[in-house]
Every structure is written in structure tokens, then in C-alpha cells.
Amino acid sequence: MADKRDYYEVLGINKDASEDDIKKAFRKMAKKYHPDLNPGDKEAEAKFKEVNEAYEVLSDKEKRARYDQFGHAGVDPNFGAGGAGGSPFGQDIDLGDIFNSFFGGFGGFGGRRSANPNAPVRGTDVETTIYISFEEAAKGAKKQVNYNHITTCDECNGTGAQKGTSPKTCPTCGGSGHVTINQRTPFGVVQTSRVCDTCKGKGRVVDNPCKKCGGNGRVKRNGTVDVTIPAGINEGQILNVAGRGNSGTNGGPAGDLHVYINVRPHPIFERRGDDVWCEIPITFAQAALGAEITVPTIDGKIKYSVHEGTQPNDIFKLKGKGIPHLGGRGRGDQYVKVTIEVPKNLTNAQRELIKKLDNSTGEKNYARRKGFFEKIKRMFEEN
Ligand SMILES: [Zn+2]
Ligand SMILES: [Zn+2]
């Protein structure tokens, strides 16, 4: 881990870079090292992986904050994994839930616990984030998602009692979880009810706590689940996986897992709604004469004929070549903006050819220039 490069350095940005700066830097770097654009180049492939890793951390507010504070260790997926007690970076676990499971919900303070300490309570939901590529969002994918959640301890089956023993009814409160106190005051006897100190409101006590969970009955664990990403999903959408959250107590159902979708920017394509946009540079001659060019689409390369006299920034549309509408029929379109690259580093012979061409063309070849100069002429006549 020591030889890992600084993520800011990898993307070539400053520590105070904005979210937008990070996205732009990623697009630039991904374009430079993308395997499709550097076939067979092992070094580019490694760089591409490094760039992706840096982006996954720096584009996530929470991970970036941990990285800023703790460096690479703070965002290592294996850091603090496994076992109860957990990591100080256990991002997916709601602290309230840990307290609830340790101390039985604080009785009267939390207000969540019903009068019956043994009533089933549904587990809380947990959240995790996955990163998918532009293509996976467009076409759908199957992904394995890793996350942390709290589950029933399998050693004691959630009772909190060491194997071979079982919890017994609390002798102080008789199993109700709370005790009634009669207080003598100048106004008479006042009766108050509070959480039982002996069992912390659980109604049961464990003499020999389970070694695995410390008597808590629940343990923090890494979970994996296979999810199907539907084609057309977009950045910021959430997949809900029912019953994969924290497990419930007293036989209550488990909460859900919310999977936040993060889509990595593509080096060539840009998504606008369900449409795909890209820019293709063509030569001056291709624009002037018309040409068959190769256009990348999310389905692969296709041939397209640009017409004679194509102008810079002309846009053509490929109907139905965009991203499938999520959960519906049909697809968006692809828009291709043509840019024209002017040749540089010309030899003398090439210069002569262009001069010859320029000398042989006139007003009838340049409609826009003609119109422009006519406007200038009129402007000075009016004054
Ligand atoms: Zn246990
Ligand atoms: Zn008690």
C-alpha cells in the first residue's frame, strides 16, 4: 500500500479540486489511458485502473473525506472488515443501530421500543455505493455488491447466551423491561416507570454471554449480493434489495439494502437524458468532398457518410442508437458533432497545393464569407 500514488496526483488535480474538476480530470485521464484507445498497452491499462480507483474515491464525498484524513488506509475496502466491534470507518452502519442492539434501545428515551421488550422490530436499512461503467449503465449488467450489515449471531442464534445456555427472565423486572417506582413527595406518592437497570429493558438477562457477539446477539458482517442492473439506469439512482439490510430483533424482518448507482464518465460518449453525444474530428478534405467515416456507438462501430460540404460543428443524428429507456420500450438517439481539424506541420509542397486550391476558389465556394462581407459593407454605408 505504501507505493500507491496519491489519488490527487493520479488525476493531476489539487486537494481543493471541486466535484466538477474531478469529473473533468477523470474524463481527460480516462481518454488518455482507455484500453480501447491503447490496445495491447499494458502500462496504459495499469494507469487506466489507477485512474478509475482514484476517481471512485475522490468522486464520493464520504470516501474523499476519509482519504483526506487517513490516506489510502481510510478507503481500503478490506480495512476493518470482518468480526464484531467493527472498523472506525464502518460507513454503512448507522450508529443508532449499534447502540440499539447493544443497549436495547434506551427504553423510554428512544421512544422506539414498545411496552413489550420482546416485540419484533424490523432491522434498519443499509446503504452502499457501486460504480459501473457507461456501457454497463446503457446495456445493463449483473454485479456483485459488497456491503456491511448487522446480522443475527450464528453462534447463539441471536440470544446472546453462550452455546448450551439460554437467557433467563430478568429477576428485577420479571421480564417486562421496566420497573415502577413509588416516590414519596410533599404532594403524595408519585408513581414513575423507568427502564430496568438489570436487563436494560430487554426483559431477559444472560449469565454467560456468547463469546462471538459479546452477548449482543448480533454481529457486524460483510455481505455480498448479486444485483441485476437494468439497462438505462443513470447516475444517482438507487436499487433496492429487499431484506438484505440489518437483521431485525425478536424475529422482526431484516431491513433493505439501498445500492446507490455511480456511473463513471466515458472518454468519448456523453449522456444527456437517454441520448448519447459524441464529437468526431474529420479532415478538411473529408468535410469538403464528403466521406464515409467510422462512428462509435454503444452497439459497436458503424459507417456513416458525411455529405459534401459538411461544416464545422454540424450535428447528425443516429436515430435509436442512444440508451434504452429504463423499464420501457425504445431508446434515445445518438448525436454526432463533427469538428474539422486543420492540418499542421505542412511541408512546402503541401503548402503549395493548398495555396493553389485557395487561389482557385472564390465567392461561390464560400457562401458564409460572402454573406459576412456583404453585411460589413452595408454597415459602413449606413453610417
Ligand atoms: Zn452470539
Ligand atoms: Zn429487567
Side-chain angles (χ1 to χ4, degrees):
M1 205 184 292
D3 57 355
K4 258 194 176 182
R5 276 214 299 158
D6 178 72
Y7 287 149
Y8 290 97
E9 194 186 309
V10 169
L11 293 181
I13 48 174
N14 291 325
K15 291 246 182 222
D16 56 1
S18 69
E19 279 175 52
D20 218 42
D21 293 340
I22 293 169
K23 207 164 215 169
K24 273 190 198 140
F26 173 78
R27 279 181 72 98
K28 200 178 111 195
M29 291 302 198
K31 205 169 190 166
K32 193 168 167 190
Y33 298 120
H34 198 282
D36 290 352
L37 306 174
N38 301 277
D41 184 342
K42 288 274 168 232
E43 201 188 318
E45 197 184 312
K47 282 259 189 338
F48 184 69
K49 272 192 189 142
E50 198 184 21
V51 164
N52 269 301
E53 192 185 309
Y55 179 72
E56 292 191 5
V57 169
L58 298 185
S59 65
D60 182 319
K61 267 198 199 111
E62 217 178 300
K63 284 189 189 160
R64 184 181 178 186
R66 278 188 276 139
Y67 178 73
D68 286 346
Q69 201 177 352
F70 303 106
H72 289 110
V75 290
D76 183 352
N78 298 317
F79 195 87
S87 117
F89 311 119
Q91 54 176 9
D92 296 332
I93 290 183
D94 157 34
L95 270 184
D97 195 86
I98 293 179
F99 284 122
N100 275 333
S101 55
F102 271 85
F103 305 119
F106 287 113
F109 296 109
R112 275 169 64 188
R113 183 157 285 264
S114 64
N116 176 5
N118 298 314
V121 179
R122 181 184 181 271
T124 47
D125 296 338
V126 299
E127 289 173 3
T128 191
T129 304
I130 58 164
Y131 287 79
I132 58 173
S133 68
F134 187 94
E135 290 88 345
E136 285 169 334
K139 298 190 158 180
K142 290 209 188 301
K143 282 270 172 186
Q144 197 176 61
V145 176
N146 297 301
Y147 63 104
N148 291 320
H149 62 157
I150 296 172
T151 60
T152 304
C153 173
D154 52 5
E155 187 72 20
C156 63
N157 283 323
T159 64
Q162 207 187 315
K163 243 185 182 162
T165 71
S166 53
K168 58 179 193 190
T169 303
C170 173
T172 310
C173 63
S176 69
H178 46 83
V179 287
T180 308
I181 303 159
N182 291 322
Q183 251 182 318
R184 216 170 280 280
T185 73
F187 312 105
V189 177
V190 177
Q191 205 173 56
T192 52
S193 173
R194 60 178 182 82
V195 177
C196 170
D197 279 337
T198 311
C199 64
K200 310 284 188 241
K202 282 185 170 169
R204 283 166 297 160
V205 285
V206 170
D207 287 334
N208 301 299
C210 164
K211 287 200 177 70
K212 191 168 178 186
C213 63
N216 171 20
R218 312 213 295 157
V219 287
K220 185 189 158 189
R221 197 176 290 156
N222 287 53
T224 55
V225 61
D226 292 319
V227 294
T228 303
I229 313 267
I233 202 155
N234 208 347
E235 174 91 14
Q237 289 179 312
I238 303 162
L239 288 177
N240 191 62
V241 188
R244 292 298 193 131
N246 293 327
S247 57
T249 42
N250 301 324
D256 295 344
L257 168 67
H258 302 307
V259 182
Y260 284 73
I261 304 292
N262 234 304
V263 182
R264 290 190 215 100
H266 192 275
I268 293 168
F269 299 132
E270 192 190 320
R271 182 167 173 169
R272 298 186 195 168
D274 285 337
D275 294 332
V276 171
W277 282 72
C278 75
E279 263 186 39
I280 297 186
I282 62 173
T283 68
F284 159 74
Q286 285 177 318
L289 305 176
E292 193 176 69
I293 60 167
T294 301
V295 179
T297 75
I298 56 174
D299 301 321
K301 292 172 191 166
I302 60 160
K303 297 279 182 204
Y304 184 85
S305 295
V306 290
H307 61 77
E308 193 178 315
T310 291
Q311 298 297 316
N313 303 324
D314 274 0
I315 292 165
F316 60 85
K317 176 171 150 182
L318 303 172
K319 207 164 163 40
K321 290 287 180 194
I323 290 165
H325 300 312
L326 183 66
R329 276 180 209 173
R331 293 170 60 165
D333 303 315
Q334 180 171 348
Y335 291 90
V336 180
K337 188 167 151 184
V338 175
T339 60
I340 290 165
E341 189 164 5
V342 175
K344 289 201 265 192
N345 307 318
L346 298 171
T347 63
N348 283 336
Q350 288 166 332
R351 280 167 197 280
E352 285 310 314
L353 286 171
I354 291 179
K355 270 187 206 160
K356 239 184 237 170
L357 170 72
D358 198 39
N359 291 336
S360 72
T361 53
E363 275 192 350
K364 70 174 175 50
N365 303 109
Y366 293 103
R368 260 159 65 192
R369 275 170 61 80
K370 191 180 159 195
F372 178 73
F373 289 116
E374 272 165 7
K375 272 182 212 155
I376 291 182
K377 210 172 136 193
R378 246 177 280 133
M379 190 172 111
F380 288 106
E381 276 167 3
E382 278 163 20
N383 286 333

